[in-house]
Amino acid sequence: QVQLVESGGGLAQPGGSLTLSCAVSGRSFGTYTMAWFRQATGKDRQFLGAITWDGGNTYYADFVAGRFTISRDITKNTVYLQMNLLKPEDTALYSCAAAQSRYHEYEYWGQGTQVTVSS
C-alpha cells in the first residue's frame, strides 16, 4: 500500500521558517517526481515545486521566488519542503504527491499538513 505522510506543519510567525516532511512508503519511487502543493481555504490548489527522486532535479513555481526549497533524502524515503520568510498568505494545507514524471498526472497523494502563519 502506497503511503505519503506529511508532517511538520503548525503555527509559524510571519518571517519565520518551517520545514515540512513527506515520508513515502509502499513502493519504489526511483524514477518518480515528487511534488508539493498547497490549498488555502476557498482557493484552488497550487503547485509549489517538485523534485525528481533519482536525480534530485528541482522545479519551482515562479511565485515561490526562492523562499521555498525542496529536497529529498533517499536513505529516509523522505521529501522535504523548507519554507522561509513565511507570510500570512502562506497559510494553507500542504500536501505532497508523486507522479511518473513532471508531465504526468500526480497519482499518489498524502493527506496534508496544515500550516498557519500568524502573529
Side-chain angles (χ1 to χ4, degrees), residues 14-46:
S17 298
L18 274 178
T19 298
L20 307 183
S21 300
C22 173
V24 301
S25 62
R27 64 157 293 156
S28 172
F29 286 95
T31 61
Y32 270 58
T33 293
M34 309 298 295
W36 285 95
F37 292 80
R38 72 182 183 187
Q39 187 167 21
T41 303
K43 296 189 177 181
D44 292 336
R45 184 168 60 204
Q46 286 182 310

Side-chain angles (χ1 to χ4, degrees), residues 15-94:
S17 298
L18 274 178
T19 298
L20 307 183
S21 300
C22 173
V24 301
S25 62
R27 64 157 293 156
S28 172
F29 286 95
T31 61
Y32 270 58
T33 293
M34 309 298 295
W36 285 95
F37 292 80
R38 72 182 183 187
Q39 187 167 21
T41 303
K43 296 189 177 181
D44 292 336
R45 184 168 60 204
Q46 286 182 310
F47 170 82
L48 301 177
I51 187 168
T52 58
W53 191 255
D54 52 359
N57 298 312
T58 53
Y59 313 91
Y60 296 98
D62 289 343
F63 73 88
V64 167
R67 293 192 300 126
F68 294 177
T69 302
I70 297 175
S71 61
R72 90 274 190 254
D73 187 332
I74 295 175
T75 64
K76 296 182 179 179
N77 281 341
T78 301
V79 180
Y80 303 96
L81 176 66
Q82 170 72 40
M83 304 185 292
N84 299 320
L85 299 174
L86 286 166
K87 307 173 183 179
E89 51 265 42
D90 292 321
T91 296
L93 182 70
Y94 286 71

Side-chain angles (χ1 to χ4, degrees), residues 1-9 20-25 34-40 45 92-98 107-115:
Q1 180 181 0
V2 175
Q3 281 193 312
L4 281 67
V5 180
E6 301 92 339
S7 61
L20 307 183
S21 300
C22 173
V24 301
S25 62
M34 309 298 295
W36 285 95
F37 292 80
R38 72 182 183 187
Q39 187 167 21
R45 184 168 60 204
L93 182 70
Y94 286 71
S95 301
C96 62
E107 57 186 296
Y108 300 111
W109 291 84
Q111 292 299 308
T113 185
Q114 178 67 36
V115 171

